[in-house]
Amino acid sequence: MVEKHLEEVVGLDVVRGERLARSTSYRIGGPAALSITAHTYSALSQALSILDEDHAAWVVLGRGSNVLVSDEGYDGCVIRLGREFLHFSCSDEGQLTAGSGVQLSRLVAACQKEGLSGLEMCAGVPGSMGGAVSINAGTRSEWLGRRVVSVVTLRPGVGLRRYEASELEWGYRFSSLPTDEIILEVTLSLEAANPSDIAYKMERRMAYRKRRQPLGKPSCGAVFRDPLDHTAHELIEACGLAGACSGDAQISDINANFVVNNGRATANDVLILISRMHDEVRKQHGIDMAPEVKFLGFK
């Protein structure tokens, strides 16, 4: 019944049984019971109302760059943001306003071309603007939240809300944005700069990532958040886990905080390694590492 009602919403695409492996950077995951793409604010709001009335589970999935989906899939509705959430524009004052569905790499390239500096730290980072803001993408010394002017969200059953920068708190891999609200649009403050200088900074950032991360194989990026005064990859390496395998999943020997898919890894293969990494670091170093990867569809 919920599927039928969703199909009647204008501006909403509905698919049953989509394999989520095609939509995650891990290339792992079973089917979703339902997948919808909302192309307008109205369609998104109507879809959420229908799902809520049916007490159906749902999750917003951007580019799937930090998600591990169960081999059995997800017995709920996966929501993607379409056309109305894929636009961005730059003002004469150097402000960038972007829909949360815009691919981050596209924004970085556009800002370089326009001579707007401030997003170089995100060069080569996968995912969408919404996902990047929600986790405050960046490093310990430079993160996206410091550029935020405002964020527009949708609280299901309530409506739209705009957060000004003064209302939000940011930290390393942290934002005070409510987790039960969907990010729709973000405005950032950037500075004018020479495009060639911006390109140079982007190239340096990309070169660093290529040296320190296993970019040639599917992964979800960093598995664990760096604990205070430590780096997760050094703690895991110190436990002798670099290169360890489970099935076709492997703890990277380039960066031990990455678990890569060597071709046919299952979600269970990856989960075994993630659990081993966590437990060994806690056993040998007394540190309880928090995961950055999000788990979808697991019991």
Side-chain angles (χ1 to χ4, degrees), residues 96 104-105 107-109 111-112 116-126 129 132-133 135-148 170-173 186 188-191 197-210 213:
L96 169 70
L104 199 57
S105 60
L107 289 174
V108 172
C111 287
Q112 186 274 327
L116 290 174
S117 177
L119 288 185
E120 295 89 333
M121 61 183 166
C122 294
V125 175
M129 172 57 84
V133 170
I135 66 167
N136 193 20
T139 66
R140 285 189 184 275
S141 59
E142 189 178 17
W143 55 61
L144 198 56
R146 288 178 172 158
R147 296 284 173 180
V148 169
W170 306 89
Y172 176 62
R173 291 293 192 269
V186 181
L188 306 176
S189 178
L190 306 175
E191 294 97 29
D197 293 338
I198 297 173
Y200 174 71
K201 292 179 182 179
M202 290 168 57
E203 289 166 3
R204 289 191 60 184
R205 177 61 184 164
M206 281 299 301
Y208 174 83
R209 293 189 71 239
K210 288 177 180 178
Q213 300 176 9

Side-chain angles (χ1 to χ4, degrees), residues 66-145:
N66 67 334
V67 180
L68 178 64
V69 179
S70 164
D71 297 315
E72 286 71 42
Y74 176 57
D75 189 23
C77 182
V78 168
I79 300 174
R80 295 184 180 84
L81 303 180
R83 290 186 296 270
E84 202 162 283
F85 307 95
L86 301 178
H87 297 293
F88 64 90
S89 61
C90 300
S91 73
D92 294 337
E93 293 75 32
Q95 289 192 349
L96 169 70
T97 298
S100 62
V102 182
Q103 194 168 358
L104 199 57
S105 60
R106 184 181 172 206
L107 289 174
V108 172
C111 287
Q112 186 274 327
K113 185 177 179 180
E114 292 292 325
L116 290 174
S117 177
L119 288 185
E120 295 89 333
M121 61 183 166
C122 294
V125 175
S128 61
M129 172 57 84
V133 170
S134 69
I135 66 167
N136 193 20
T139 66
R140 285 189 184 275
S141 59
E142 189 178 17
W143 55 61
L144 198 56

Side-chain angles (χ1 to χ4, degrees), residues 239-252:
C239 293
L241 294 178
C245 295
S246 174
D248 229 13
Q250 181 180 23
I251 299 174
S252 172

